Amino acid sequence: MRLPRGKTTDGIQDNMSNLRESQNDVHVQDERLARVFYANGRYNPHFLGVTGIGFLAIYVLTRSGLLGQPAPQLLYIGIFTLIMALAQLPLLALARRNKGIAANLWGAAAAGAFAILLTYYWQGIILFSLLIALVTPITALRVGFPRRYLAILLLIVIASLVGIVYLENNPVFDRLQNSTPAAIASFAFLVATGLLLVTITVISANKNFKSLQSLLLTSFIVIVTIPTIMAAVLSAVGAFTNSQAQTFSTLKAITNLKENQISTLIADFQNDTTKLQADRAFALNALNVLAARDDDPLVLENSKRLVRLSMDNVLGTEEEQYNEIMILNTQGEVVISTISDNEGVNFENQLFFRQGTLRFYTGFTEIPSFGNENLIVATPIFDADGRVIRGVLVLRSGASSIKGIMENTPGFENAETYLVDRNYNPVTRTRTPVALISTQASLEAILNNVSNGQDVYGNYADEPVIGYYKWFEAMQVAIIAEVPLQFVIVNSARALVGSAVLALFVISIAIVSVVISARSIVHPITILAQTTESFAAGKLSARAVVDRADEIGALARSYNHMATQFQENIARLEQRVNDRTRDLENQTLRLRVAAEVARDAASARDLGELLARATELIRNRFNFYHTGIFLLDNNKEYAVLVSSPTEAGKQMLANNHKLRVGEIGIVGRVAATGEPRIMLDSGADAVHFNNPYLPDTRSAMALPLKAENTVIGVLDIQSDQAQAFNEDDITIMQTMADQLATAIERTRLLQEVERSLKELESIYGQHTRENWKRLADTAQTGNKGYRFDHMRVEPITELSEVGRNAITTGLTVSSKKQSADRQIAVAIPVKLRGQTIGVISLKLKEKYDEDTISTVELASERLASALESARLYEEARLRADREQSISQLTTAISASTSYEDILQTTVREIGTSLKDAEVTIQIIGDLPGGKQVG
């Protein structure tokens, strides 16, 4: 069937157009992927090759014992890394031919295979492996990987991830562990090379650097710093490995030494048993007792005595090291003992008896009757023919000798050594007391009888340690020597401080060298242009490098000459500024010291202390020859010296030294004018230095002490240096003088106020005392007070002895003697404004509570206030009655109109108000001789 011609042509044209567009898009994407792949991977072969060689080098170091235990996995990792480096070459060739899609697909496959192999041989590197497997696919996707090839790329990624995760969770054989020194060093090397690769790639592709110098500096610094840090890490790992190996060797030597010392001690014990059994008398009598050849108790006891005597004769003073010596028969029963109470005890089930019937035995026992930690030495006793065992000789000793060997390690205090028996019980003391020791060391030594074990493990306190352990057959115990892992790490870190400093020094030198090299590479015209721009911007200290003989060099020399002239001018200005700044700093320092002097002096409590402290502080802080403070007298006529810390000042104080205000002299003038003044040892001022007490004065300064613009004194300062003061010193010291003047005036006023207050309190107290005395004298009942006897209140007319003492002393008084009813009399004064107006007397039981007195004292204070209120009320009432009487009298008198009525009314009313008084009124008249009477 034939289609219409037009439609067929249009369809073919559309398909051809779409195909060309698709091909063009793929070609563009292929080129873009190729450029990015080449830009990112052109340095991969170099760095992967270096990394592979590094892995192989670390493997060689492990084989030689310089970097921990051998790590054969690094051999395979290094080989595969070199293969990966070679595989990058054809991939880069594809990228150069613009085959970006193929290069990315093969690159992702190669990276995934390398990541899988890395996980296969190295445990714990999964995150780094995932990064290696994903970096190429992610970069391709970001650039724009074609969709038609996306399924292939995803398949490669999934296969890589599945392989990595599977091998991480299902290892085939022992892989490289991250905790080993070899793995740490390898990881540091891998990270360092990776960072270098990324840095160089980023820097080379970055177009944002504004100068060639910045690019060179950044590149060189990164290239120098990262390898140096990597070398420092490798050095740290190597130092730790060496320190760990040395620690193992030291612990082994310590263990062997202690084993030899214990063996020597055991040999001494064995010699003692041999010497004892070689004694003929001992052997004969011991066999008699063991065989029970004579049934006579006396004979048997005599044989035992002879055995003990033989022990004394043979062992002599050596017996003192044994707590007990026993002879056991073949049934384990003690037949002879240096401790008679133990004879008859049976030790048939004890290990030392069972071993002692076979051979010489040394070990520890935990029999309660022996006490704690006893050392047992047992050996068989043969008959006269030496063929049949008749008993066992047992020597029991304290374990202090072996403890001393195990618990002390002179020269290596951080090491701990101890013994563990077959039941995992510590035989010697451990630093942390424990009941059982079930560690890797004790388990391997006891279960496997290890004779040369060493490892890093957790000790009995779950602390990481480096340990050496072995089984000691002679005593059936494990000997363990341990050092905290932290101790080895700290020592390694200390050893690396120098290396770290050296590494920093090398990095610093390298950076400086890089800076110099980068600057020398940049074109001299660029340098001159930058220098000229800096000069134009105001940086007049900029200089051009003159290293050429052409016109550029001549221009640079001309510029430098001009800049030098400018710099010299600026330097002179800066010197002047520095000099002025230095002067200002000195003035600021003096001002601060002056403020401190004024502050410290103002803290004095009275005027004398204030003046003495002020003069002393001024002299000491400023190192003056003499200081003194003059105060004006009440008439403002003389300036009187009131304080000076110097010897001359003390003499003048003793002579009541004073100067007339306004007369010739620096102090007198300042006191009169109120203006500060300086006198120097030159010119007209030299004539004033005529004080015989101060012959060395060369300069003087007097400052007025003003309070509210009124001169109250003068601060006199003298120096033994000529030209010691200037106008700036006046400003600074006057500030201090003003503060001192304020403090002096304030202290004066405060003392006057305190004195007035004390006088007022004294007058008020006297007034209170007189009023209460008058009240007591006018009492009509004659009662001294009232007493309550738990039933009724009754008046009293006499005070007790403790009451009189309390009133006299004003203090709480108690009787020293108890009454017949075992009571103590206590008197508490009742005080009002410091005056005792009464007393509260108590009779308390012998063991009364101290709070009782405090409660009554508080009550006495409130009682005093209440009594005073009552007295004042009574005074007011009497005064009101008196005023009322006067008013009534005045009213009655005013009601009368005649002369006689007024006199009579007055006499009657006054007599009525005064009751028993006799009242007479007489009018003054003339007497003979012209005199008047009234």
Side-chain angles (χ1 to χ4, degrees):
M1 182 177 63
R2 177 178 293 179
L3 295 175
R5 182 176 180 181
K7 187 173 183 181
T8 302
T9 303
D10 293 339
I12 293 173
Q13 290 177 351
D14 291 340
N15 291 334
M16 293 295 293
S17 177
N18 293 334
L19 180 60
R20 283 194 299 269
E21 290 178 359
S22 176
Q23 290 176 349
N24 290 333
D25 290 341
V26 172
H27 183 70
V28 170
Q29 292 174 345
D30 204 7
E31 290 182 351
R32 184 169 60 250
L33 288 169
R35 288 195 301 270
V36 174
F37 185 87
Y38 184 80
N40 293 335
R42 54 182 169 172
Y43 301 113
N44 288 350
H46 309 84
F47 284 96
L48 286 173
V50 172
T51 305
I53 294 173
F55 286 151
L56 295 177
I58 296 173
Y59 165 72
V60 173
L61 292 176
T62 59
R63 292 290 297 177
S64 60
L66 298 177
L67 204 60
Q69 299 295 325
Q73 301 89 346
L74 286 176
L75 175 62
Y76 307 111
I77 294 175
I79 293 174
F80 288 124
T81 305
L82 291 176
I83 294 174
M84 182 66 180
L86 295 175
Q88 297 297 308
L89 298 177
L91 296 177
L92 292 175
L94 286 175
R96 283 195 295 269
R97 296 198 302 268
N98 291 328
K99 301 295 183 180
I101 297 173
N104 278 277
L105 290 175
W106 284 108
F114 179 71
I116 291 173
L117 290 173
L118 194 63
T119 309
Y120 183 76
Y121 288 102
W122 195 338
Q123 183 177 0
I125 202 74
I126 182 172
L127 294 179
F128 204 83
S129 299
L130 293 175
L131 179 61
I132 293 174
L134 293 175
V135 62
T136 300
I138 291 176
T139 304
L141 291 175
R142 290 186 60 185
V143 174
F145 197 77
R147 292 185 178 181
R148 66 175 66 180
Y149 302 104
L150 189 59
I152 301 175
L153 181 63
L154 293 178
L155 182 62
I156 295 173
V157 172
I158 293 173
S160 301
L161 297 181
V162 171
I164 292 172
V165 174
Y166 177 80
L167 290 177
E168 177 67 21
N169 297 321
N170 300 278
V172 179
F173 60 91
D174 292 336
R175 295 181 292 176
L176 183 64
Q177 302 294 321
N178 276 336
S179 59
T180 61
I184 296 174
S186 301
F187 187 76
F189 192 81
L190 184 62
V191 171
T193 53
L195 289 176
L196 280 175
L197 175 60
V198 172
T199 303
I200 296 302
T201 302
V202 172
I203 290 176
S204 61
N206 196 325
K207 306 300 182 182
N208 296 325
F209 286 99
K210 296 182 179 180
S211 65
L212 180 61
Q213 181 175 338
S214 300
L215 176 61
L216 293 174
L217 285 176
T218 304
S219 303
F220 289 164
I221 289 174
V222 172
I223 292 172
V224 170
T225 303
I226 293 179
T228 305
I229 295 175
M230 180 194 68
V233 173
L234 294 177
S235 177
V237 175
F240 173 75
T241 303
N242 293 333
S243 179
Q244 183 176 347
Q246 292 176 2
T247 303
F248 278 131
S249 300
T250 303
L251 292 178
K252 181 179 180 180
I254 291 173
T255 303
N256 292 334
L257 176 62
K258 292 183 180 295
E259 181 183 10
N260 292 334
Q261 291 176 339
I262 296 174
S263 298
T264 302
L265 187 63
I266 293 174
D268 292 339
F269 293 151
Q270 190 170 10
N271 290 336
D272 291 342
T273 59
T274 303
K275 186 191 301 183
L276 187 60
Q277 293 194 70
D279 183 69
R280 184 175 182 80
F282 170 81
L284 180 61
N285 288 288
L287 289 174
N288 286 338
V289 175
L290 289 171
R293 295 174 181 172
D294 198 331
D295 295 335
D296 188 352
L298 295 178
V299 175
L300 188 61
E301 186 61 33
N302 184 55
S303 296
K304 292 182 179 180
R305 183 180 61 79
L306 292 175
V307 170
R308 297 189 188 98
L309 182 61
S310 297
M311 294 177 183
D312 294 336
N313 293 334
V314 174
L315 297 181
T317 57
E318 294 181 2
E319 187 179 356
E320 296 177 358
Q321 65 180 328
Y322 300 109
N323 297 332
E324 182 181 8
I325 301 177
M326 300 179 290
I327 296 177
L328 283 64
N329 59 22
T330 54
Q331 288 76 38
E333 181 180 354
V334 179
V335 296
I336 303 175
S337 174
T338 54
I339 300 176
S340 57
D341 292 342
N342 287 340
E343 292 181 357
V345 179
N346 192 289
F347 296 112
E348 181 180 5
N349 295 325
Q350 295 298 323
L351 178 63
F352 69 84
F353 170 72
R354 297 195 302 270
Q355 293 291 332
T357 59
L358 302 175
R359 56 181 178 81
F360 177 80
Y361 168 79
T362 303
F364 295 92
T365 183
E366 296 181 356
I367 298 176
S369 61
F370 288 172
N372 295 328
E373 301 177 344
N374 277 297
L375 180 64
I376 300 296
V377 178
T379 186
I381 300 176
F382 294 91
D383 60 3
D385 296 334
R387 297 179 178 177
V388 180
I389 295 177
R390 296 299 184 183
V392 178
L393 173 63
V394 178
L395 286 73
R396 182 168 63 87
S397 174
S400 59
S401 56
I402 294 182
K403 288 181 181 179
I405 293 173
M406 296 302 299
E407 295 174 2
N408 297 300
T409 307
F412 200 1
E413 289 77 7
N414 292 282
E416 179 182 16
T417 57
Y418 53 91
L419 300 178
V420 181
D421 62 15
R422 282 190 173 275
N423 297 323
Y424 305 102
N425 296 317
V427 175
T428 56
R429 185 176 57 185
T430 56
R431 291 178 181 174
T432 302
V434 291
L436 293 175
I437 298 180
S438 180
T439 62
Q440 175 184 335
S442 61
L443 291 173
E444 291 187 6
I446 295 173
L447 296 178
N448 302 328
N449 292 341
V450 174
S451 61
N452 188 18
Q454 63 181 32
D455 206 344
V456 178
Y457 55 88
N459 67 354
Y460 55 84
D462 291 332
E463 297 175 350
V465 295
I466 294 178
Y468 181 86
Y469 46 89
K470 66 186 306 183
W471 177 250
F472 186 41
E473 184 66 27
M475 294 187 67
Q476 298 291 298
V477 294
I479 302 178
I480 301 176
E482 297 172 340
V483 172
L485 181 61
Q486 184 67 25
F487 169 75
V488 179
I489 295 175
V490 170
N491 284 344
S492 301
R494 290 175 180 172
L496 287 172
V497 171
S499 300
V501 173
L502 181 61
L504 293 176
F505 183 69
V506 170
I507 291 174
S508 301
I509 294 177
I511 291 175
V512 172
S513 302
V514 166
V515 172
I516 296 173
S517 300
R519 289 180 178 177
S520 64
I521 295 174
V522 179
H523 196 273
I525 297 179
T526 305
I527 297 178
L528 182 59
Q530 293 176 350
T531 305
T532 307
E533 290 176 359
S534 299
F535 181 79
K539 297 181 180 179
L540 303 180
S541 61
R543 292 292 184 274
V545 178
V546 180
D547 56 356
R548 302 172 67 91
D550 54 10
E551 290 79 6
I552 297 176
L555 180 61
R557 284 190 294 272
S558 300
Y559 163 77
N560 288 343
H561 179 68
M562 178 191 65
T564 301
Q565 291 181 347
F566 273 101
Q567 189 175 15
E568 290 177 354
N569 294 333
I570 293 175
R572 287 192 290 270
L573 293 175
E574 289 179 349
Q575 183 62 38
R576 294 178 60 184
V577 172
N578 291 334
D579 294 340
R580 183 57 180 166
T581 302
R582 191 181 304 109
D583 294 339
L584 292 176
E585 289 177 351
N586 293 334
Q587 293 178 12
T588 303
L589 178 61
R590 286 198 170 193
L591 185 61
R592 183 170 66 251
V593 174
E596 292 175 355
V597 169
R599 180 199 62 203
D600 295 342
S603 62
R605 291 173 294 183
D606 55 43
L607 183 60
E609 182 182 357
L610 171 63
L611 297 173
R613 182 181 293 182
T615 54
E616 182 69 28
L617 288 172
I618 294 172
R619 179 173 178 268
N620 291 338
R621 297 285 179 88
F622 293 98
N623 196 24
F624 289 139
Y625 170 57
H626 170 76
T627 57
I629 293 180
F630 291 82
L631 294 181
L632 301 184
D633 58 9
N634 294 332
N635 297 325
K636 308 292 184 180
E637 184 178 358
Y638 287 96
V640 182
L641 180 65
V642 294
S643 178
S644 177
T646 62
E647 292 298 328
K650 294 177 181 178
Q651 294 179 12
M652 289 187 287
L653 286 172
N655 295 332
N656 296 324
H657 182 68
K658 60 183 179 179
L659 300 173
R660 184 179 294 276
V661 175
E663 287 191 352
I664 297 176
I666 186 171
V667 175
R669 288 189 178 184
V670 172
T673 63
E675 298 293 332
R677 180 174 173 80
I678 294 176
M679 297 181 65
L680 304 175
D681 191 9
S682 62
D685 289 336
V687 299
H688 298 292
F689 298 136
N690 56 0
N691 191 336
Y693 294 104
L694 302 169
D696 297 331
T697 298
R698 294 294 176 269
S699 302
M701 178 169 57
L703 303 170
L705 299 176
K706 294 182 179 180
E708 297 181 356
N709 295 325
T710 301
V711 178
I712 63 172
V714 177
L715 173 61
D716 181 26
I717 300 173
Q718 300 186 26
S719 174
D720 56 1
Q721 303 293 326
Q723 308 293 326
F725 306 110
N726 53 36
E727 295 299 328
D728 293 333
D729 295 329
I730 289 180
T731 303
I732 295 173
M733 302 302 290
Q734 185 61 55
T735 302
M736 179 185 65
D738 293 341
Q739 295 179 4
L740 286 177
T742 303
I744 291 171
E745 191 66 17
R746 185 180 66 250
T747 305
R748 275 181 170 179
L749 294 175
L750 181 61
Q751 289 183 343
E752 290 180 2
V753 170
E754 290 178 350
R755 183 167 55 254
S756 301
L757 182 61
K758 289 181 180 179
E759 292 177 357
L760 181 61
E761 289 178 350
S762 177
I763 295 172
Y764 202 14
Q766 183 178 359
H767 177 70
T768 300
R769 184 170 58 255
E770 291 176 354
N771 285 338
W772 277 97
K773 186 175 182 303
R774 183 169 60 252
L775 179 64
D777 293 340
T778 57
Q780 298 179 357
T781 61
N783 295 334
K784 296 294 183 180
Y786 293 91
R787 177 177 59 197
F788 178 65
D789 58 358
H790 298 286
M791 294 182 61
R792 62 184 179 277
V793 177
E794 58 184 11
I796 57 174
T797 57
E798 295 294 335
L799 291 176
S800 63
E801 181 180 356
V802 293
R804 288 193 296 273
N805 292 338
I807 292 178
T808 302
T809 62
L811 302 173
T812 301
V813 180
S814 61
S815 61
K816 297 182 179 179
K817 297 181 180 180
Q818 299 179 1
S819 59
D821 55 357
R822 302 180 64 83
Q823 291 183 340
I824 298 176
V826 179
I828 301 171
V830 179
K831 290 186 176 182
L832 181 65
R833 303 186 188 96
Q835 305 296 323
T836 303
I837 62 174
V839 65
I840 299 175
S841 298
L842 308 169
K843 285 188 177 182
L844 303 175
K845 293 183 178 179
E846 178 182 1
K847 296 181 180 180
Y848 62 88
D849 189 358
E850 292 295 335
D851 292 339
T852 302
I853 302 299
S854 301
T855 302
V856 177
E857 288 176 346
L858 293 174
S860 69
E861 296 176 0
R862 298 187 180 183
L863 174 62
S865 299
L867 291 175
E868 178 67 6
S869 298
R871 185 189 66 79
L872 293 175
Y873 174 76
E874 184 65 20
E875 276 189 2
R877 188 185 61 80
L878 292 176
R879 189 179 296 109
D881 292 344
R882 187 164 55 250
E883 293 294 334
Q884 184 178 6
S885 299
I886 294 174
S887 176
Q888 292 176 355
L889 176 63
T890 303
T891 301
I893 293 173
S894 300
S896 301
T897 56
S898 65
Y899 177 78
E900 292 296 333
D901 289 341
I902 291 173
L903 293 177
Q904 292 177 4
T905 300
T906 302
V907 170
R908 183 173 59 253
E909 291 296 331
I910 292 174
T912 301
S913 63
L914 296 180
K915 296 184 178 179
D916 295 336
E918 180 180 350
V919 181
T920 303
I921 297 178
Q922 293 181 347
I923 303 303
I924 298 175
D926 293 334
L927 296 176
K931 296 181 179 180
Q932 294 181 344
V933 297

